[in-house]
Amino acid sequence: MEKKNILKGVLFVGVAASIYGMLATFVKLAYQDGYTTAEVTTSQFAWGIIGLLILNLIQTMTSTKSLPKAEKKDVKKLILAGTSLGGTSLFYYLSVQYINVSIAIVLLMQSVWFSVVVESFLNKKLPTVRKVMATIIVLVGTVLATNLINMEVELDFRGIFWGLLAAASYTLTMFTSNTIATYLPAFRKSLIQLLGGAVIVLIFLFFSQIGPLHFDVLKSFYLNFSDSTEGIRAFDFSILWTYGLFLAIFGTIVPPILFNIGFPNAGLGLGSIVSSLELPVSVTMAYILLKEEVLLIQWAGIALILFAIVLMNLPSRKKGELATSANFH
């Protein structure tokens, strides 16, 4: 691989990861302006689908060769896999409703060791010593990054609940995105996955804002584990042109395209290391724009998590031991 191609790949992956790192801060700003999680996610996915439809149309019209079409069985698999894509965005955005962005992104990064567990289960073999060490480092880094030792940072149990659920959903997205219908063009594959994610988002929208909550148990769960304290209210369509379009462009459309260009050039291992830029960028943006306090001990924890990601993605002597990465939120 030529050096310039590697540099190009690193640049594209780095920019994409940095863009992803900014998203949660703008979601938090949307909350401060009175918008709900349902409005944020629905507007993001709506614009995302429209954008990818346009890109697919342009690609089909300008392509000099016939593009492969998805087989019916793969369409079903991609839509099903896409539900984890919708879940990741939904759960992550719910998490930042209750806890600092700097804490939420650390919880999302638990997908690093979640993936080790899932990979071991699927392969029916114990993880390598290096992956076990990386997992331990991530856990130690998480304790420091969330400041559990001194408890100087307020941790709402609902934020932790949704943050860990986002990490689990993100882990599922990692595996499905890299194994299903790899023959499809990136735009087409992304669009089908996004449709699956939209199903989850629309179900949440129905129960949170536009539909009746008939069952007391469901209503109680929703009020305790969501961002609503007053129950159902009408959907605010102004979100579409205030935050929705921005979040769709920089959360659903642009980063996946950059990742799809960058990873083949940078390589999976190096690309995964560079993509971890999302963590410090997210914390820095929250510190600058939201004035969130980030203690020195938390920065130390973040550094440990980044080190663990590098350790896990270093080239291995054993064939077949590859890093796992994803490019969706």
Side-chain angles (χ1 to χ4, degrees):
M1 186 181 295
E2 296 181 8
K3 186 175 181 180
K4 64 178 182 180
N5 287 338
I6 295 177
L7 292 176
K8 174 184 175 182
V10 168
L11 178 63
F12 276 75
V13 171
V15 172
S18 299
I19 291 173
Y20 267 147
M22 297 188 295
L23 285 184
T25 295
F26 287 96
V27 170
K28 198 89 169 182
L29 291 173
Y31 288 157
Q32 291 177 4
D33 286 345
Y35 295 111
T36 66
T37 303
E39 289 164 348
V40 170
T41 52
T42 301
S43 59
Q44 178 179 337
F45 273 72
W47 280 119
I49 290 172
I50 292 172
L52 282 171
L53 278 171
I54 294 172
L55 289 174
N56 271 278
L57 180 61
I58 294 174
Q59 185 181 44
T60 301
M61 293 176 64
T62 57
S63 178
T64 55
K65 58 182 180 180
S66 179
L67 299 174
K69 295 182 179 180
E71 298 178 8
K72 288 185 178 180
K73 63 176 182 178
D74 286 333
V75 171
K76 293 179 180 178
K77 289 180 180 179
L78 284 172
I79 290 177
L80 184 61
T83 58
S84 65
L85 172 62
T88 301
S89 295
L90 178 60
F91 301 146
Y92 185 45
Y93 292 171
L94 279 170
S95 178
V96 300
Q97 178 77 20
Y98 297 104
I99 57 179
N100 288 349
V101 170
S102 55
I103 303 298
I105 186 63
V106 168
L107 292 176
L108 183 66
M109 286 295 167
Q110 300 311 297
S111 58
V112 172
W113 68 268
F114 281 12
S115 64
V116 173
V117 175
V118 173
E119 186 179 45
S120 298
F121 178 78
L122 293 176
N123 294 335
K124 297 180 180 179
K125 54 189 289 188
L126 294 174
T128 62
V129 174
R130 188 172 66 181
K131 288 187 176 181
V132 172
M133 289 176 59
T135 297
I136 294 172
I137 293 172
V138 168
L139 292 174
V140 173
T142 300
V143 171
L144 297 177
T146 54
N147 201 23
L148 289 176
I149 297 176
N150 299 318
M151 289 304 292
E152 292 183 30
V153 178
E154 292 186 12
L155 296 177
D156 191 306
F157 80 97
R158 292 169 295 184
I160 297 174
F161 172 80
W162 291 119
L164 291 176
L165 207 56
S169 185
Y170 189 35
T171 302
L172 183 59
T173 303
M174 285 192 227
F175 285 91
T176 56
S177 295
N178 293 320
T179 57
I180 300 174
T182 55
Y183 61 89
L184 284 178
F187 291 160
R188 191 164 294 180
K189 182 178 177 181
S190 297
L191 176 60
I192 298 173
Q193 284 184 288
L194 204 59
L195 292 174
V199 172
I200 298 298
V201 171
L202 290 175
I203 289 174
F204 180 77
L205 172 65
F206 177 79
F207 282 112
S208 62
Q209 285 189 236
I210 65 174
L213 290 169
H214 294 297
F215 304 102
D216 291 337
V217 174
L218 178 60
K219 184 174 182 179
S220 175
F221 176 85
Y222 172 70
L223 293 178
N224 283 316
F225 286 91
S226 77
D227 58 336
S228 175
T229 56
E230 300 178 354
I232 298 170
R233 72 167 177 79
F235 188 92
D236 188 347
F237 285 94
S238 65
I239 184 70
L240 292 171
W241 51 84
T242 51
Y243 290 96
L245 183 58
F246 175 86
L247 292 173
I249 293 173
F250 295 104
T252 311
I253 300 173
V254 173
I257 294 173
L258 295 179
F259 273 127
N260 283 319
I261 297 173
F263 267 100
N265 288 294
L268 191 57
L270 180 58
S272 297
I273 294 171
V274 176
S275 68
S276 65
L277 277 173
E278 179 182 351
L279 178 55
V281 169
S282 183
V283 174
T284 303
M285 288 293 292
Y287 177 78
I288 295 174
L289 294 182
L290 300 175
K291 309 300 180 184
E292 289 186 0
E293 183 180 13
V294 185
L295 305 175
L296 182 60
I297 191 173
Q298 291 176 266
W299 283 113
I302 291 167
L304 276 178
I305 294 173
L306 292 174
F307 173 73
I309 294 172
V310 173
L311 178 64
M312 193 174 294
N313 288 284
L314 287 174
S316 175
R317 294 178 182 177
K318 295 182 180 180
K319 292 182 180 180
E321 184 183 326
L322 295 173
T324 304
S325 72
N327 53 31
F328 295 100
H329 268 269

